[in-house]
Amino acid sequence: MEQPIAVTRQSFDDWMIPVYAPADFILVRGEGSHVWDQQGKQYIDFAGGIAVNALGHAHPVVKAALVEQAGKLWHLGNGYTNEPVLRLAKQLIDATFAEKVFFCNSGAEANEAALKLARKHAMDNYGSEKNRIVAFNNAFHGRTLFTVSAGGQPKYSQDFAPLPGGIMHTAYNDLAAAAEAINDQTCAVIVEPIQGEGGVLPADGAFLQGLRDLCDRHNALLIFDEVQTGVGRTGDLYAYMQYGVVPDVLTTAKALGGGFPIGAMLTTDALASTLGVGTHGTTYGGNPLATAVAGAVLSLINTPEVLNGVKQRHLWFIEQLNAINQRYPIFSEIRGGGLLIGCVLNQDFAGKAKQITQYANEEGVIALIAGPNVVRFTPSLIIPEADINEGLARFARAVARICS
Ligand SMILES: *Cc1c(COP(=O)(O)O)cnc(C)c1O
């Protein structure tokens, strides 16, 4: 048999378009909340593939669903429907406010669909003047041109001008500013219940409720981007359930496939009819392989045991992170919900989040950043207590080094 091509971290720089700056080691295997690199070094995984591997690595039930479907049918194209996609749609409908579902392959695509739905719904019902989208500073909605424009970090969009028009940004958690921005020309408001990439910043309940009221008053659609907060991440299946504020459209991806690419847009019957035959679509969306895996993931996560377990694990993390911060005061705030946790660096350590995660890697734990000043944790929702303790002991050693 032919030898596989030899690859090292240098190969990335040699062969890959340099949009990422990955760590200087290559992970080759994962099991539960442990991963191993090419040299056989073991790490505790507190990143979970950026809030994706919600059941850890190689979960036996998810793997069985993948293998079973792999032996049956991978792909058909949307001229033919399939059993796994219909079952997953019904699971999502039964579990949420939604009455109809559209499947795609990523968070950006789900948001793209949501924004297009909002534009067309307004055009069909109120005319072409009603086309404005209100979004928030520091928001992240994906990397397509429309979603990067809706995102609230100009550094991700400005180099790609001209951008889609009609999008304005206002301050997150500032209801008065939102009330000035939202008017009868607004077709949609898009918001993350917890800003993830923007620094793990939770919305105030009154802010989300206020947006709901403003959208109702001005016939605008309220879109919740739950790509990061969804599928159990915050301890409820979706974060809107905790807030008691129901959106018109919800987008979900990341954890939905547990590591297999899939995204979805959830909405009501009335709004779904906006997108008639031929108005939107995607080749791979709702393919049987992705939807079989997501069906297994959703069944495993949407149980009181797993969701309550997320709330319990949140407390374990917060308690130990506070203890670390007592010994080495580097955080000004520890925030977030469930297993989406952000540790905000204080003035003395501003800008050092990346360096802390590099030290953490050296100590044997994988952590994330959310901007230059926030260390972020998004581990498996079922990470064992012993792995939390060991991973945080390793993280404490990284913090000790940054302080010394
Ligand atoms: C990750 C993320 C996206 C983009 O998802 P992709 O799958 O990378 O396209 C959109 N919105 C939020 C809130 C996210 O965290």
Side-chain angles (χ1 to χ4, degrees):
M1 218 177 80
E2 213 183 313
Q3 285 291 317
I5 296 168
V7 290
T8 65
R9 174 61 180 77
Q10 180 61 40
S11 313
F12 182 92
D13 297 336
D14 292 343
W15 303 332
M16 302 289 280
I17 292 176
V19 294
Y20 310 114
D24 58 7
F25 51 92
I26 297 182
L27 296 169
V28 295
R29 190 167 71 82
E31 196 181 314
S33 285
H34 296 178
V35 286
W36 289 267
D37 70 15
Q38 284 179 317
Q39 278 67 46
K41 178 177 165 184
Q42 181 248 48
Y43 304 76
I44 306 282
D45 185 5
F46 281 170
I50 318 186
V52 167
N53 305 316
L55 294 165
H57 299 271
H59 189 288
V61 176
V62 180
K63 188 174 150 191
L66 175 70
V67 170
E68 191 194 337
Q69 189 59 41
K72 278 190 192 163
L73 190 65
W74 291 26
H75 179 80
L76 292 166
N78 287 304
Y80 304 85
T81 193
N82 65 76
E83 292 179 349
V85 76
L86 298 174
R87 293 193 182 112
L88 179 61
K90 185 67 162 73
Q91 278 178 275
L92 286 165
I93 287 166
D94 287 348
T96 68
F97 76 96
E99 296 160 326
K100 288 282 196 296
V101 188
F102 170 79
F103 289 105
C104 50
N105 313 290
S106 67
E109 280 178 80
N111 286 326
E112 185 84 18
L115 296 171
K116 285 178 71 177
L117 166 65
R119 280 267 173 87
K120 187 168 187 302
H121 173 72
M123 171 100 77
D124 291 352
N125 292 281
Y126 305 99
S128 61
E129 293 289 287
K130 189 175 176 69
N131 59 40
R132 304 291 167 83
I133 292 160
V134 173
F136 296 95
N137 298 340
N138 283 317
F140 185 82
H141 300 301
R143 299 290 201 142
T144 65
L145 200 58
F146 203 171
T147 56
V148 89
S149 305
Q153 299 196 54
K155 66 173 185 197
Y156 291 143
S157 61
Q158 64 199 10
D159 295 346
F160 303 100
L163 303 175
I167 303 169
M168 66 170 295
H169 295 91
T170 177
Y172 190 69
N173 271 337
D174 184 341
L175 189 56
E180 284 202 9
I182 299 166
N183 57 40
D184 286 341
Q185 286 192 6
T186 308
C187 69
V189 175
I190 183 166
V191 64
E192 296 159 90
I194 301 176
Q195 283 193 335
E197 302 303 309
V200 189
L201 188 58
D204 299 332
F207 176 65
L208 293 184
Q209 183 59 54
L211 294 181
R212 176 70 276 174
D213 297 340
L214 287 163
C215 285
D216 289 341
R217 191 173 322 143
H218 296 287
N219 295 312
L221 302 189
L222 182 60
I223 302 168
F224 277 3
D225 177 348
E226 294 228 32
V227 170
Q228 190 151 162
T229 54
V231 198
R233 179 61 48 193
T234 65
D236 281 280
L237 188 64
Y238 285 96
Y240 83 84
M241 297 168 175
Q242 244 163 57
Y243 283 98
V245 177
V246 180
D248 300 297
V249 181
L250 181 150
T251 56
T252 178
K254 290 203 165 90
L256 183 58
F260 201 99
I262 183 169
M265 172 179 69
L266 279 52
T267 190
T268 60
D269 260 330
L271 292 171
S273 61
T274 300
L275 295 179
V277 175
T279 57
H280 191 59
T282 165
T283 298
Y284 293 119
N287 80 74
L289 207 48
T291 50
V293 173
V297 169
L298 200 61
S299 298
L300 287 166
I301 290 177
N302 194 21
T303 65
E305 296 73 42
V306 170
L307 296 175
N308 290 333
V310 171
K311 292 176 181 137
Q312 176 61 63
R313 284 164 177 75
H314 174 85
L315 298 177
W316 289 332
F317 261 93
I318 297 296
E319 192 183 328
Q320 293 184 52
L321 287 167
N322 278 326
I324 292 170
N325 201 33
Q326 296 248 304
R327 270 179 78 186
Y328 314 101
I330 72 165
F331 304 132
S332 60
E333 190 185 358
I334 298 169
R335 66 194 184 195
L339 288 173
L340 173 53
I341 295 169
C343 303
V344 187
L345 296 168
N346 64 31
Q347 288 292 333
D348 295 343
F349 296 89
K352 295 213 165 138
K354 187 81 206 176
Q355 201 185 340
I356 293 174
T357 62
Q358 279 160 356
Y359 284 171
N361 288 165
E362 288 169 21
E363 298 296 334
V365 59
I366 311 272
L368 292 169
I369 63 172
N373 301 319
V374 178
V375 177
R376 175 174 39 153
F377 300 106
T378 56
S380 161
L381 305 183
I382 55 169
I383 183 171
E385 187 176 8
D387 288 345
I388 296 177
N389 295 342
E390 174 60 24
L392 285 174
R394 295 178 187 183
F395 180 71
R397 292 201 280 277
V399 170
R401 279 172 60 193
I402 208 100
C403 288
S404 65

